[in-house]
Amino acid sequence: MNDARVVLFFNNFYLYRMKASFDFEQPLVDLEEQLEKLKQVADKSKVNVSATIRELEEKLEHTRKEIYSNLNGWQKVQLSRHPGRPYTLDYISMLCDDFIELHGDRTVKDDKAIVGGLGSVGGQTVMFIGHQKGKNTKERQYRNFGMANPEGYRKALRLMKLAEKFNKPVVTFIDTPGAYPGLEAEERGQGEAIARNLLEMSVLKVPILCFIVGEGASGGALGIGIGDRVYMLEYTWYSVISPESCSSILWRTWDYKEKAAEVLKLTAEDMLSNKLIDGVIPEPLGGAHHDPQAMASAIRSKILSDLKILGRKAPAKLVQERIDKFCAMGVVNEPAS
Amino acid sequence: MSWFKRVKEGITTKTEEKKETPDGIWEKCPSCKKVLHLSEQLENQYVCVYCGYQLRIGSKEYFEILFDNNEFTELYPDLTSADPLNFEDTKKYTDRLAEGTRKTGLKDAIRSAHGRLHGHDLVIACMDFSFIGGSMGSVVGEKIARSIDYCIEHRIPFMIISKSGGARMMEAAFSLMQMAKTSAKLALLAEQKIPYISLLTDPTTGGVTASYAMLGDINIAEPGAMIGFAGPRVIKETIKKDLPKGFQSAEFVLEHGFLDFIVDRREMKEKLASFLRMMAS
């Protein structure tokens, strides 16, 4: 299925993203270099520069705070795709004392772009499901860049039904550039697979928590995104289309991706103020990849506190509230009758 | 020497004697390129008399074809799109909406109505492709959601006629969430054991395919309709191969098991009536 050229295209795409720092992080890189040089000088000559070093460190800290608290939409999109960010299996291993991965949709095959299984968090058994991206070229190819085929969504549904049967809550991690737009995906009903998940998740009788931990692109994200609580990490995005594709459709060129990121209002902050998600989880300064453990522990406390509240609700009430929440989304004009 | 010689030079008909054909009387069939008269189209349920091509039509025509005596009550006709994101690309979203209404006389890309089909009560929500590509925004989602509530309250079977390019980009994540909303409501309709028929017409793609269009108790389509999740251009660019002939046609989707049957527009009303009859008795 993976034509060599496709792989090459995506690899180049990822290599471009692989740059350790983004343009907007350049001042930090410069300061860090300066600091490094100064430290070397201090080691060699015995001149006392500790005051200057301290000053530089303070400046670095200050600049860092300033840069990361003033990111625009496109910059957050870039951060959400940082190759160093933790992915689903990283979070699972940081959160769980024990984890058993479960495979396959029982119909076609095991999709590697969506993973799932039973994990134990603070003594509580949880069904984890999430998109999985790869850390290097080979892994990325193996994971199909986090783009699931229909069998991925059907595996997710199978695991949710399993969780429902044994009354275990479901936690999903969303991080996908979209559902895979391939020939076989169409043959096996990509649309039907996602649609079925939307319907089944909205009436699943156990609590569902969803975390957007990277990219939340359209139906591919929503296909495992119907939850009682939906959270976005601070530097992630969630919308109906990626800024690049939006730009190419509306402006007929990729050059307006920054503008598209702006107008789509796809950041966690915007999504919360439009009441399309339930909360934003702050990330460590500079992004989740700067301190994965701290990120995981923030997610862990969210899971535990939410499950405590949701676990007390009767299944019928839980489902009704979930449906009501999604049905309230949308803005229309209606003349007063 | 040429075998044909022009006797008079240039166009000799005087301007005032020029005859104009009124607009909308004749239409060329996009498939066989033969010219069809409006009366022929009307008589033949907007199917080409020469090649059987199902012309692209809107809610007005579908209601006319399916509802007895073209009698129906339109539901929630006054809902219109807001602009929650103040969206502007090369044009303002509000301008696009105004232009859509001016061109088509429609308020948004869907109309819903309660009528009778061979005596059976039925609510039909029908999409209009002519309004911003039949894109699904808050109005489409809200009308479908309320129509389902109406069907549950009155215990009437529900039908959606899909014809859409997918989600409406100008409402971004709001339109994405309409997929969730309509699917959730359909789950409630299913719990009430009220039949839901999904008719997929040319074209049905993107977020519409990935939500209500694929969730029917029966999914049916018109012959030759283009049905898919991803657009053919995107797929072609991704796999870097030419797509097989007939890829994403209704016949292809039927063959792969996602449709119950394909029905010609001229036999649709009869077939729907027998389905409704069997479900009711």
Side-chain angles (χ1 to χ4, degrees):
Chain A
M1 175 167 63
N2 280 322
D3 187 287
R5 274 169 300 177
V6 188
V7 174
L8 199 66
F9 166 77
F10 279 107
N11 269 346
N12 288 340
F13 192 49
Y14 270 83
L15 280 177
Y16 156 76
R17 291 176 177 184
M18 281 279 280
K19 280 201 304 182
S21 63
F22 301 110
D23 296 343
F24 59 87
E25 290 174 316
Q26 198 53 45
L28 295 176
V29 176
D30 293 345
L31 280 172
E32 272 163 5
E33 266 173 23
Q34 266 185 46
L35 193 64
E36 197 55 37
K37 269 183 201 157
L38 199 63
K39 280 179 179 165
Q40 278 170 11
V41 170
D43 284 347
K44 280 179 197 158
S45 65
K46 282 168 187 120
V47 188
N48 190 353
V49 285
S50 58
T52 329
I53 287 180
R54 211 175 312 122
E55 208 175 284
L56 255 180
E57 276 172 346
E58 267 167 30
K59 195 174 169 194
L60 186 64
E61 193 58 26
H62 179 77
T63 318
R64 189 171 276 150
K65 269 186 193 147
E66 191 163 304
I67 286 179
Y68 291 111
S69 54
N70 290 303
L71 296 177
N72 65 28
W74 175 243
Q75 288 164 338
K76 285 182 184 171
V77 170
Q78 286 175 294
L79 265 185
S80 77
R81 294 169 175 168
H82 195 287
R85 283 181 78 88
Y87 298 139
T88 296
L89 288 173
D90 301 318
Y91 283 118
I92 289 175
S93 75
M94 289 185 281
L95 290 168
C96 299
D97 317 319
D98 193 10
F99 176 68
I100 306 168
E101 189 174 347
L102 303 171
H103 295 272
D105 72 338
R106 297 292 187 270
T107 308
V108 178
K109 58 160 83 158
D110 181 46
D111 193 324
K112 308 292 189 285
I114 287 186
V115 296
L118 287 167
S120 172
V121 191
Q124 159 102 56
T125 305
V126 171
M127 181 64 84
F128 285 99
I129 295 164
H131 298 106
Q132 181 65 35
K133 290 179 174 175
K135 299 259 178 219
N136 53 44
T137 307
K138 212 172 161 189
E139 257 186 49
R140 273 177 206 117
Q141 212 176 318
Y142 179 72
R143 298 291 181 190
N144 201 27
F145 307 89
M147 295 186 287
N149 275 284
E151 45 276 17
Y153 294 100
R154 294 190 179 120
K155 167 162 86 173
L157 182 58
R158 181 179 78 83
L159 298 185
M160 288 183 230
K161 288 285 189 185
L162 182 64
E164 185 184 43
K165 181 175 173 185
F166 296 101
N167 197 27
K168 307 295 175 211
V170 174
V171 171
T172 72
F173 293 114
I174 293 163
D175 187 5
T176 181
Y180 187 60
L183 192 131
E184 286 92 347
E186 294 292 319
E187 289 180 338
R188 295 195 289 267
Q190 188 74 284
E192 196 273 345
I194 293 172
R196 185 68 48 203
N197 280 17
L198 303 184
L199 186 143
E200 296 288 351
M201 285 183 90
S202 56
V203 289
L204 202 78
K205 293 185 185 69
V206 290
I208 306 174
L209 304 179
C210 305
F211 294 89
I212 288 117
V213 295
E215 303 183 83
S218 198
L222 193 66
I224 55 167
I226 311 293
D228 300 298
R229 300 281 186 274
V230 179
Y231 297 107
M232 287 175 75
L233 305 194
E234 192 178 354
Y235 307 129
T236 64
W237 67 274
Y238 192 12
S239 195
V240 75
I241 193 166
S242 73
E244 287 91 338
S245 305
C246 177
S247 163
S248 84
I249 292 174
L250 292 179
W251 284 274
R252 306 198 177 277
T253 152
W254 277 37
D255 301 341
Y256 289 83
K257 51 188 188 292
E258 291 178 47
K259 170 92 172 129
E262 223 54 53
V263 294
L264 283 171
K265 303 275 194 303
L266 43 62
T267 66
E269 218 178 354
D270 287 327
M271 287 293 284
L272 182 64
S273 68
N274 285 326
K275 298 198 179 77
L276 297 173
I277 56 164
D278 300 286
V280 180
I281 303 180
E283 291 193 26
L285 199 59
H289 49 293
H290 281 249
D291 192 348
Q293 285 294 345
M295 193 70 253
S297 100
I299 291 175
R300 180 196 173 87
S301 51
K302 211 48 156 184
I303 292 176
L304 292 176
S305 64
D306 276 358
L307 288 185
K308 210 179 231 174
I309 300 166
L310 296 171
R312 281 199 290 263
K313 293 189 191 218
K317 189 170 188 301
L318 193 69
V319 168
Q320 191 55 53
E321 287 179 0
R322 190 187 305 146
I323 291 178
D324 289 347
K325 184 182 82 173
F326 281 97
C327 286
M329 293 177 185
V331 183
V332 296
N333 286 330
E334 188 174 22
S337 52
Chain B
M1 200 184 93
S2 61
W3 54 271
F4 174 81
K5 193 161 184 270
R6 190 187 274 273
V7 185
K8 293 174 185 170
E9 287 294 316
I11 298 165
T12 53
T13 315
K14 286 185 187 125
T15 315
E16 53 267 27
E17 284 170 21
K18 200 176 83 177
K19 290 194 176 79
E20 295 248 18
T21 322
D23 280 344
I25 296 289
W26 298 95
E27 200 180 330
K28 211 182 214 177
C29 168
S31 175
C32 70
K33 313 286 180 211
K34 287 196 176 122
V35 176
L36 300 166
H37 193 265
L38 180 65
S39 63
E40 281 177 318
Q41 293 179 32
L42 275 171
E43 237 169 73
N44 210 33
Q45 259 104 62
Y46 305 91
V47 177
C48 174
V49 285
Y50 303 105
C51 69
Y53 178 82
Q54 321 267 315
L55 296 166
R56 250 185 213 180
I57 53 175
S59 58
K60 177 178 165 284
E61 291 81 10
Y62 276 109
F63 289 164
E64 187 183 296
I65 291 167
L66 294 174
F67 284 133
D68 298 345
N69 312 317
N70 198 18
E71 284 169 8
F72 56 86
T73 320
E74 194 172 340
L75 305 172
Y76 323 107
D78 297 324
L79 295 186
T80 53
S81 288
D83 180 15
L85 303 174
N86 292 314
F87 198 93
E88 185 175 354
D89 50 277
T90 49
K91 250 188 226 170
K92 277 188 179 157
Y93 177 37
T94 46
D95 291 346
R96 281 186 198 272
L97 289 167
E99 193 187 310
T101 301
R102 199 175 59 242
K103 274 192 188 159
T104 62
L106 298 163
K107 288 187 175 149
D108 210 278
I110 198 166
R111 281 167 74 219
S112 183
H114 175 190
R116 282 164 167 252
L117 188 149
H118 281 328
H120 298 277
D121 272 296
L122 181 67
V123 171
I124 303 179
C126 180
M127 302 192 73
D128 279 292
F129 193 76
S130 55
F131 194 95
I132 321 191
S135 53
M136 170 184 56
S138 298
V139 171
V140 170
E142 186 65 23
K143 267 199 198 179
I144 289 177
R146 289 196 198 182
S147 300
I148 293 171
D149 288 340
Y150 182 93
C151 288
I152 292 175
E153 192 188 335
H154 298 91
R155 297 205 65 83
I156 300 171
F158 184 47
M159 173 169 176
I160 298 180
I161 302 176
S162 296
K163 191 184 277 292
S164 169
R168 188 171 296 171
M169 233 179 297
M170 290 70 93
E171 290 186 32
F174 282 103
S175 51
L176 180 66
M177 295 309 164
Q178 303 312 308
M179 292 168 65
K181 178 181 191 166
T182 53
S183 305
K185 283 285 182 189
L186 284 173
L188 296 179
L189 189 73
E191 272 177 9
Q192 295 295 317
K193 310 237 182 286
I194 295 171
Y196 162 48
I197 302 163
S198 171
L199 170 63
L200 293 84
T201 70
D202 188 55
T204 298
T205 60
V208 170
T209 306
S211 58
Y212 51 84
M214 276 292 168
L215 292 173
D217 289 310
I218 55 168
N219 296 332
I220 61 180
E222 288 183 345
M226 189 267 168
I227 299 164
F229 173 67
R233 197 174 51 89
V234 178
I235 298 171
K236 211 175 146 181
E237 279 170 16
T238 308
I239 65 171
K240 310 275 181 204
K241 274 184 209 154
D242 280 332
L243 300 170
K245 202 163 176 281
F247 180 66
Q248 293 186 320
S249 65
E251 293 73 16
F252 170 96
V253 181
L254 176 75
E255 196 51 40
H256 284 92
F258 294 96
L259 293 175
D260 289 277
F261 56 82
I262 292 174
V263 60
D264 189 292
R265 205 177 281 154
R266 290 165 290 189
E267 289 134 33
M268 191 180 294
K269 188 167 176 177
E270 286 308 319
K271 199 135 184 189
L272 288 173
S274 20
F275 176 75
L276 291 172
R277 194 165 48 243
M278 285 192 245
M279 293 306 273
S281 57

